[in-house]
Amino acid sequence: MTMKSIRSLACAALLLFGGFFGVTVMLPMAQAAQSPQFGQRLVLVAPPPTTLQPAPAYPFRRLTAAEQSVSPADWRGQKVFVNFFASWCVKCRAEHGLITELRAATTAPIIGVSHLDRPDDTRKMLDKVGNPYSDVLEDKSGKGGRTWGLVGVPASFILDAQGQIIWQHHGPIDAAMLKDEILPRLTAP
């Protein structure tokens, strides 16, 4: 065997090993990163806006009176906390106690938007765990959430008195966030 054929054979073996490694190790890792396991949800975090943006003018229906619609224009003149949630969302239920704490700590309206949920399921959940919201709105189709830039629930927003989004978080809130970010923004003049 010549030196040239030995090099060619070594290169072929290296390419074969590298291809095998890439397919058997790297492909499953890439697939796992792209698709959540059964029972898990992929959480995408949207960066907060760098400039103030007006809240989308999408009209939502009230859970208690579906013939009445409400939009962010109805909240002007006061700071408002808006929380998108769903009865089927485990992380929404986990943060529910903190939303209840927020209700006790502020006089600002706390608006709950039931996203991609059945009204009866939303009512049952709130009857069971308590309703901390000043008003509960429906977003059965998910169209309203998409206009707000939702990538999943829970998602929370704070609007200033002019209807501008001054804070947003995609994912469940935690106690530190409630204390250090949410309450100061709702109570500041």
Side-chain angles (χ1 to χ4, degrees):
M1 221 184 234
T2 68
M3 188 60 108
K4 187 175 182 181
S5 53
I6 292 174
R7 283 188 197 142
S8 297
L9 190 56
C11 286
L14 186 60
L15 285 173
L16 184 62
F17 177 76
F20 175 78
F21 180 80
V23 170
T24 59
V25 175
M26 300 307 282
L27 183 61
M29 289 172 57
Q31 288 172 340
Q34 292 175 4
S35 61
Q37 298 294 321
F38 179 75
Q40 295 177 338
R41 294 197 181 268
L42 184 62
V43 177
L44 302 173
V45 178
T50 54
T51 59
L52 295 180
Q53 299 175 352
Y58 186 85
F60 295 99
R61 299 277 179 200
R62 277 203 163 100
L63 181 68
T64 56
E67 68 280 356
Q68 296 177 357
S69 64
V70 177
S71 72
D74 297 317
W75 308 323
R76 293 240 168 107
Q78 58 191 340
K79 290 184 179 182
V80 179
F81 183 84
V82 180
N83 177 248
F84 285 82
F85 72 99
S87 66
W88 47 262
C89 170
V90 174
K91 291 182 180 181
C92 299
R93 286 181 181 250
E95 81 169 0
H96 192 80
L98 292 169
I99 303 295
T100 303
E101 284 183 36
L102 176 62
R103 167 78 284 142
T106 184
T107 58
I110 300 174
I111 308 299
V113 182
S114 174
H115 180 70
L116 295 174
D117 207 355
R118 289 179 279 208
D120 287 342
D121 292 343
T122 302
R123 284 186 200 93
K124 286 176 189 173
M125 182 195 105
L126 294 175
D127 286 346
K128 183 177 180 179
V129 298
N131 183 357
Y133 301 109
S134 310
D135 203 356
V136 182
L137 310 176
E138 295 179 20
D139 184 24
K140 290 187 286 190
S141 70
K143 187 176 178 182
R146 286 189 299 276
T147 65
W148 281 68
L150 257 64
V151 293
V153 292
S156 300
F157 300 82
I158 297 176
L159 309 183
D160 68 10
Q162 291 74 41
Q164 302 286 316
I165 297 172
I166 60 171
W167 180 87
Q168 65 178 293
H169 179 73
H170 297 264
I173 62 171
D174 59 32
M177 196 178 297
L178 179 63
K179 179 181 171 251
D180 300 333
E181 297 179 39
I182 298 169
L183 283 170
R185 284 180 173 88
L186 284 175
T187 57

